[in-house]
Amino acid sequence: RYGIVVVFLVLLATLTATLPQFRTTANVSNVLQQNAVIGIIACAMTFAIISGGFDLSVGAGAALASVVGAKIMIEAGIPLGIVGALAVGLLLGLVNGTLIAYAGINPFVATLGTATIVRGLIYVSTNATPFFGVPMDFTVVGLGRTGPIPNATIIFLVVALFLAFLLHQTRFGHYVYAIGGNIVAAAEMGIAVRRVKLAVYALVGFCAAIGGIILTGQTASGQPQAAINYELAAITAVIVGGASLGGGRGTMAGTVLGVFLLGLVSNALNLYGVSAFWQPVATGLILVLAVGIDSYSRRSVFAWR
């Protein structure tokens, strides 16, 4: 139950003891800032995975929010740009939720399809060219700091706390667990399964848009190629944090630890001088290991039964 905590503390202690540059304030701040967007997306992804699904369109959704938000900011100002970015992210989430909950399409097929369509539309509409000209004042969102803490990290923590409350302390969160644990029993108990699933994917799309807004603040531009493979990193963080791909299990605290565990691994590879091309390999290996452990634990439970 507490394996992720032990692994995280051991890794943290090892890096602190063996890498003097890891202990610097600048490096710690860099780790916090670089993992904020993945963290926000992963926290929302926790809902989808606990409910028995997942969302492969979050990277495309973040890129869409970045491009749309940047375009509107350049032409109409920052507030409207933020609203526009959040609106398109929410719309994408509602489309995913409708396809999955009401059309009965498998989450893998539905979200992979929307991800491919959205990426294609972004490239066609922008000619794969970034939108420059976002007001430099907006970089305070992605690059600014409040004291020693990056603003992006503060946004991540606020989102994580809100989603933790929503998941663990509200009826909606209990419904998500119930649907992931046994969707038939949940329906027989009177839970509006379709509406809950629709709300889950709308939440994921909305949070992906928040991530896209932060990415815009980090580059002062709308990047069509933003958030590539973020869906893999987010799903990995959730699974490493103790959630089950079979649904019905997971915690927000575990997801946050999973995000920072992956962040520490990536940071350690950089500090040790390992090529950046190996970082996706490390992420993939961690994902396979985590899913393997989850599958083994589930088989063990069924064996006892």
Side-chain angles (χ1 to χ4, degrees):
R1 182 174 183 179
Y2 300 104
I4 179 63
V5 178
V6 174
V7 171
F8 178 80
L9 292 177
V10 169
L11 179 60
L12 182 63
T14 301
L15 294 178
T16 301
T18 59
L19 289 172
Q21 59 270 44
F22 175 80
R23 301 191 295 265
T24 63
T25 303
N27 184 65
V28 172
S29 178
N30 182 54
V31 171
L32 292 174
Q33 181 172 295
Q34 286 186 342
N35 290 280
V37 174
I38 291 293
I40 291 171
I41 295 174
C43 285
M45 186 73 75
T46 304
F47 283 80
I49 290 179
I50 291 176
S51 71
F54 49 83
D55 191 340
L56 297 178
S57 70
V58 288
L64 178 65
S66 174
V67 169
V68 171
K71 181 68 172 178
I72 297 176
M73 287 179 193
I74 294 169
E75 297 180 352
I78 292 175
L80 287 178
I82 293 175
V83 172
L86 294 175
V88 294
L90 179 61
L91 178 61
L92 177 59
L94 289 172
V95 170
N96 286 332
T98 301
L99 293 175
I100 293 166
Y102 290 92
I105 300 176
N106 182 276
F108 176 86
V109 177
T111 58
L112 179 61
T114 55
T116 305
I117 292 170
V118 168
R119 283 284 184 188
L121 291 175
I122 292 173
Y123 292 148
V124 169
S125 61
T126 64
N127 198 26
T129 303
F131 286 137
F132 294 105
V134 173
M136 293 304 296
D137 292 345
F138 192 66
T139 58
V140 69
V141 173
L143 300 176
R145 287 177 169 79
T146 300
I149 304 177
N151 291 338
T153 303
I154 294 175
I155 297 173
F156 165 37
L157 293 178
V158 169
V159 171
L161 288 173
F162 173 76
L163 293 183
F165 174 80
L166 189 65
L167 180 63
H168 300 296
Q169 303 296 328
T170 69
R171 184 177 298 178
F172 173 73
H174 296 161
Y175 288 170
V176 171
Y177 277 107
I179 291 170
N182 190 321
I183 190 171
V184 175
E188 291 179 349
M189 290 167 56
I191 296 175
V193 173
R194 289 178 175 177
R195 282 187 289 177
V196 172
K197 282 192 172 185
L198 179 65
V200 164
Y201 286 95
L203 177 66
V204 176
F206 188 83
C207 288
I210 295 176
I213 291 171
I214 294 176
L215 290 175
T216 301
Q218 290 176 345
T219 62
S221 62
Q223 298 286 337
Q225 297 183 354
I228 295 290
N229 291 330
Y230 275 34
E231 56 279 351
L232 171 63
I235 292 172
T236 303
V238 178
I239 300 303
V240 168
S244 171
L245 277 176
R249 191 175 75 214
T251 64
M252 200 58 63
T255 294
V256 173
L257 277 177
V259 168
F260 285 117
L261 177 63
L262 293 179
L264 290 183
V265 171
S266 177
N267 185 245
L269 292 176
N270 286 331
L271 295 178
Y272 280 120
V274 178
S275 170
F277 297 118
W278 283 101
Q279 293 183 18
V281 176
T283 301
L285 288 174
I286 292 172
L287 176 59
V288 171
L289 179 62
V291 172
I293 292 174
D294 174 60
S295 299
Y296 177 79
S297 66
R298 290 173 69 86
R299 286 199 304 270
S300 299
V301 170
F302 289 134
W304 277 102
R305 290 177 179 175

